[in-house]
Amino acid sequence: MPTVPRASPRTVLTWSSPRPSSSFRYLHFVNPDHIDEVFNNDIPKPIYLSKKDSELKPNYFLAIPVTDSSVIKNYLEFRQYVLDTEPTLVKHCLSFQSDLLHITLLTLRLDNQFEIDQCMSTMKALQEELKYYCTYPEHLKLYFFGCETFYNKTLFINCRKHDRLEGLRKILIERFQSNNINLAGNYYEFIPHLSLIKMKQKLKTIPSAIYKKYQQSDFGVQNVEAIQLCQIAPADSQQRCTFTLDL
């Protein structure tokens, strides 16, 4: 593992290339009951690079699509309640696309068609392994409960964290690192969530009164049935799904 130097105010995190040496032990079929035996360390620490490096900016992401009708219904009801309570937030509310509601697993930097094809090939090579992992001994489920904000700027529905979801992410990270796919943008702790509102103005914050009613609400359960490769769209454009890996 490379030494991590002290960061200056103009530096951000990215994954190094070639990848840091990893102490993961990798199996082709992972028993969910023994995930701690397979991954004996956390994700390798990133190194610091200059913020001016364009390779730091992710332009794709891996996501788990949310398609359960109850989750979507509850999401839309909460969204409408927020907008009815505070109509001025409509310009900050994320546009809703029922076929692209998701939680983000990883962000990536893919600069050309070769790198996009390499990413899709890596996902295809993992299909049987991931399908086994997500269905044995029972289906991997996402539980959506309550809501919070990031720094009073982004309102989201919580997806409960659990070891199998973390294990799924680690399998992807290990294989992507081994194929030198750029994992740019994964700077923070992994907090699975469904975003609802993102404040675009620096001085504006989301008042807690508009979501307090839903802080202990059950939004439903989603089986993990696919992983998507999606392109990060500009602020005023629709998100695009490039590839779907069915599980």
Side-chain angles (χ1 to χ4, degrees):
M1 178 100 37
T3 302
V4 179
R6 186 180 298 275
S8 71
R10 292 184 58 79
T11 58
V12 295
L13 297 173
T14 189
W15 297 95
S16 61
S17 180
R19 68 187 183 98
S21 59
S22 168
S23 57
F24 288 125
R25 287 180 286 130
Y26 192 74
L27 298 180
H28 283 289
F29 285 96
V30 182
N31 186 330
D33 296 330
H34 304 294
I35 188 66
D36 290 337
E37 298 175 13
V38 179
F39 302 107
N40 57 6
N41 266 335
D42 292 331
I43 299 168
K45 292 181 179 180
I47 64 171
Y48 291 91
L49 295 175
S50 169
K51 192 173 182 178
K52 66 183 179 181
D53 189 342
S54 63
E55 292 184 1
L56 295 177
K57 294 182 179 180
N59 56 356
Y60 283 83
F61 62 94
L62 288 188
I64 297 173
V66 175
T67 58
D68 181 83
S69 58
S70 294
V71 176
I72 293 174
K73 175 177 176 290
N74 292 330
Y75 175 95
L76 289 175
E77 285 181 356
F78 180 34
R79 183 177 186 268
Q80 191 60 50
Y81 173 82
V82 168
L83 295 181
D84 289 344
T85 305
E86 188 59 60
T88 60
L89 290 176
V90 66
K91 62 183 177 181
H92 303 286
C93 200
L94 300 179
S95 60
F96 176 72
Q97 297 171 253
S98 61
D99 58 332
L100 291 177
L101 194 63
H102 67 274
I103 67 166
T104 300
L105 287 172
L106 292 168
T107 55
L108 313 166
R109 179 77 193 188
L110 306 174
D111 286 318
N112 50 55
Q113 191 60 48
F114 173 81
E115 292 181 354
I116 294 170
D117 291 343
Q118 182 187 33
C119 183
M120 292 191 293
S121 295
T122 300
M123 293 173 69
K124 291 175 183 177
L126 278 169
Q127 186 171 27
E128 290 304 314
E129 179 178 350
L130 293 177
K131 183 175 181 179
Y132 177 87
Y133 181 83
C134 291
T135 57
Y136 179 84
E138 61 183 6
H139 231 111
L140 173 56
K141 299 179 184 296
L142 305 178
Y143 297 91
F144 295 99
F145 185 87
C147 58
E148 295 183 45
T149 67
F150 293 126
Y151 308 106
N152 295 319
K153 291 290 187 180
T154 300
L155 176 62
F156 63 89
I157 295 171
N158 273 316
C159 176
R160 287 178 172 170
K161 296 178 71 172
H162 52 84
D163 290 343
R164 285 186 69 193
L165 181 57
E166 292 278 1
L168 172 63
R169 189 168 180 263
K170 287 181 178 181
I171 292 172
L172 290 163
I173 287 172
E174 171 67 7
R175 184 59 65 87
F176 276 38
Q177 284 184 320
S178 69
N179 288 347
N180 290 320
I181 295 172
N182 188 351
L183 297 172
N186 300 284
Y187 311 140
Y188 309 109
E189 176 189 2
F190 174 53
I191 302 177
H193 64 279
L194 289 176
S195 295
L196 199 80
I197 289 176
K198 291 186 178 180
M199 300 301 292
K200 300 173 184 177
Q201 296 168 311
K202 290 184 178 180
L203 298 180
K204 295 282 187 178
T205 58
I206 299 171
S208 60
I210 69 169
Y211 60 85
K212 186 176 181 180
K213 177 181 176 180
Y214 283 84
Q215 283 184 304
Q216 298 300 317
S217 294
D218 185 352
F219 288 91
V221 181
Q222 169 72 50
N223 285 340
V224 177
E225 298 173 337
I227 296 176
Q228 293 179 331
L229 174 65
C230 299
Q231 188 173 10
I232 296 177
D236 297 325
S237 302
Q238 287 193 330
Q239 173 187 306
R240 289 187 294 173
C241 178
T242 302
F243 173 68
T244 299
L245 184 75
D246 292 322
L247 304 176

